[in-house]
Amino acid sequence: MDMAASYSPTDPDVLAHPYPYYAALRKGPAARYIEIDDLWVISRFEDVGTALRDPATFSSKALWALFGGMVSAREGVRPNVREFAATQPRSLIALDPPDHIPMRRLAAKMFTKRAVDGYARTIRSICHELVDDLLDHRDGGEVDLVAQFHHPLPVRVIAEILGIPIERRRDFKRWSDILINRLSGRGDSPQEKADLKRMMEYFDAIIKERRAHRSDDLISLIISGNESAGEFLTGWDLFNFCALLLSAGNETTTNLLGNLFNAFFLNPDQFEKARRAPDLAPVVEEILRYESTVQAVVRLTNSAITVGECTIPADAIVLLLTGSANRDETRWVAPDRFDIEREPLPHFGFGTGIHHCLGAALARLETEIATDVLRSRTSLIEPAGQAARSANIILRGFSSMPASVKPA
């Protein structure tokens, strides 16, 4: 089978096993048109990086094509993405310069390396509480790592940063899941729409409360910054900002931890090395490269652009395959091998350019501390059944991960 010719980002087999398809794509032209989906893909490291750093040509407005279920045209003619985007609220991940810059500044100071390091003690305390609970809830020594640890950790951390009560964490997870489902054009059932309405009402109340009584939380910071900037964000924009921070803050670290422990399970020698490693930062960098949480970034071309020998027309949907770029054999030796002692090189695990992940430092810190606490509190963590993947066109992670766990 010609895997490059049969590649489609919406194909279930591609979603389950993307890397052989990526390898085939990298051996072909620099850009490839996928007729069944009416989109283009770019797969090599240098080409993906060039596109990510060129927002003038590759517009982030294409993100609305994801939420509108318009990335693939396999089920009919795609509606006009620009017209649809014009009807939507402003979202940090779907804005181009110059509008993107002031919106990012509203939250950036809470996610600097210095600010994030100030959360370390809180994150470690949460991790120990979760391990206590995990060990107490083992059934015959088995536990679902995603349900008991990988998901609750970032939910509690982002709730702390946003200044919202963790008692609503079940709601947060449900709302976050619906928002992530919309990345594949799903999440529009009557029940899901009703849930999103409840989320809107919840954040509307929080925003009104913070307008009246400021604190040192992120929502208060955004409201104050917006007032100082002349209220360029509407109430609907503010709600959308909160929803983005909630869902992105959850999914990034949940998927990062799930991908890491799956790699450990498939490579137990690397897990043993990680248990003894004096510094876990290289471990985190390697999983970001090896099994990228964000497998692709979607863009809309503002004008025709030549990539290698191919010319992509204006108004084309383009998938920048970061998951493929991070396994480019021209950049890494044996890129399909998970090796925590690999010399770290810059990768696109958190993107690059103006849309480099705002919460990258936080996700790195959470993953390092979580791995450190798990290795210190356990003598054994190994798979105890089939883990369930949660993969869509953009994100790659796990929805469940049965494991046998023994305390240290």
Side-chain angles (χ1 to χ4, degrees):
M1 179 179 69
D2 184 344
M3 301 190 84
S6 62
Y7 172 84
S8 165
T10 55
D11 186 302
D13 187 61
V14 171
L15 292 173
H17 310 286
Y19 300 109
Y21 289 93
Y22 293 163
L25 287 170
R26 291 193 301 271
K27 293 174 183 175
R32 179 182 284 269
Y33 178 63
I34 310 300
E35 184 173 3
I36 191 172
D37 295 301
D38 186 24
L39 54 76
W40 292 75
V41 294
I42 298 176
S43 57
R44 298 174 189 161
F45 184 86
E46 291 298 331
D47 298 324
V48 168
T50 298
L52 286 171
R53 290 185 284 266
D54 182 12
T57 304
F58 293 91
S59 170
S60 295
K61 288 185 175 69
L63 264 294
W64 290 116
L66 283 171
F67 291 107
M70 296 183 289
V71 168
S72 172
R74 65 165 59 212
E75 296 179 3
V77 177
R78 180 188 292 119
N80 187 294
V81 176
R82 292 187 190 278
E83 290 179 0
F84 180 75
T87 68
Q88 302 304 308
R90 280 172 288 187
S91 175
L92 183 63
I93 58 173
L95 276 180
D96 297 325
D99 294 339
H100 168 265
I101 297 169
M103 191 169 188
R104 187 178 176 97
R105 283 177 180 162
L106 290 179
K109 65 176 66 176
M110 293 286 279
F111 291 101
T112 63
K113 178 69 165 60
R114 182 176 180 180
V116 163
D117 285 344
Y119 306 139
R121 181 176 295 182
T122 296
I123 293 170
R124 189 169 293 275
S125 175
I126 293 171
C127 284
H128 278 291
E129 290 178 21
L130 290 173
V131 172
D132 289 340
D133 192 55
L134 181 153
L135 294 174
D136 287 343
H137 285 81
R138 288 175 302 153
D139 182 7
E142 295 183 7
V143 68
D144 182 345
L145 282 179
V146 173
Q148 291 294 136
F149 192 89
H150 298 343
H151 191 274
L153 170 62
V155 169
R156 290 184 58 173
V157 172
I158 198 63
E160 179 87 15
I161 293 172
L162 289 172
I164 52 183
I166 194 57
E167 289 75 17
R168 300 292 296 269
R169 61 183 177 272
R170 285 191 176 85
D171 290 330
F172 299 159
K173 182 182 188 314
R174 189 171 65 256
W175 296 340
S176 177
D177 287 346
I178 294 170
L179 291 169
I180 296 304
N181 279 341
R182 290 171 69 87
L183 286 177
S184 288
R186 300 189 300 269
D188 275 332
S189 72
Q191 179 59 51
E192 288 167 325
K193 288 180 177 179
D195 263 329
L196 290 182
K197 184 175 183 293
R198 282 190 283 272
M199 179 178 72
M200 188 186 308
E201 292 168 349
Y202 176 78
F203 277 118
D204 182 58
I206 290 288
I207 290 168
K208 287 177 179 176
E209 193 274 333
R210 292 296 192 280
R211 285 189 188 278
H213 306 286
R214 304 294 163 84
S215 184
D216 58 355
D217 60 87
L218 180 53
I219 295 177
S220 293
L221 178 73
I222 291 170
I223 291 171
S224 296
N226 189 44
E227 288 179 354
S228 299
E231 297 278 6
F232 73 98
L233 295 183
T234 67
W236 181 227
D237 294 333
L238 287 170
F239 156 73
N240 200 57
F241 205 164
C242 292
L244 170 64
L245 291 167
L246 175 66
S247 57
N250 289 339
E251 290 299 319
T252 301
T253 304
T254 296
N255 291 344
L256 187 48
L257 283 166
N259 290 338
L260 176 59
F261 276 82
N262 181 62
F264 280 155
F265 293 163
L266 295 174
N267 303 273
D269 63 314
Q270 297 300 304
F271 197 3
E272 287 307 309
K273 289 180 180 180
R275 281 189 175 276
R276 302 189 298 269
D279 180 10
L280 288 171
V283 178
V284 177
E285 296 311 306
E286 174 63 354
I287 194 59
L288 283 166
R289 180 205 68 82
Y290 174 78
E291 188 88 273
S292 305
T293 295
V294 177
Q295 289 283 303
V297 174
V298 63
R299 294 290 186 260
L300 180 69
T301 52
N302 287 327
S303 59
I305 179 72
T306 298
V307 181
E309 64 276 38
C310 303
T311 298
I312 302 174
D315 291 320
I317 296 288
V318 182
L319 280 183
L320 308 177
L321 299 177
T322 50
S324 171
N326 286 339
R327 293 204 184 194
D328 192 325
E329 45 279 299
T330 66
R331 184 170 177 82
W332 287 279
V333 175
D336 293 327
R337 185 179 71 229
F338 178 63
D339 180 3
I340 67 169
E341 295 176 331
R342 187 187 298 275
E343 185 68 28
L345 288 172
H347 52 73
F348 299 140
F350 285 120
T352 190
I354 66 167
H355 284 286
H356 181 267
C357 178
L358 185 66
L362 179 61
R364 283 184 166 103
L365 183 65
E366 286 181 80
T367 305
E368 283 185 43
I369 293 175
T371 305
D372 184 43
V373 171
L374 282 169
R375 72 178 180 177
S376 69
R377 296 285 306 276
T378 64
S379 60
L380 174 75
I381 306 177
E382 62 182 16
Q386 185 65 43
R389 273 275 177 202
S390 58
N392 59 39
I393 296 173
I394 303 301
L395 299 176
R396 185 166 174 82
F398 287 86
S399 57
S400 68
M401 184 171 285
S404 293
V405 181
K406 292 184 180 179

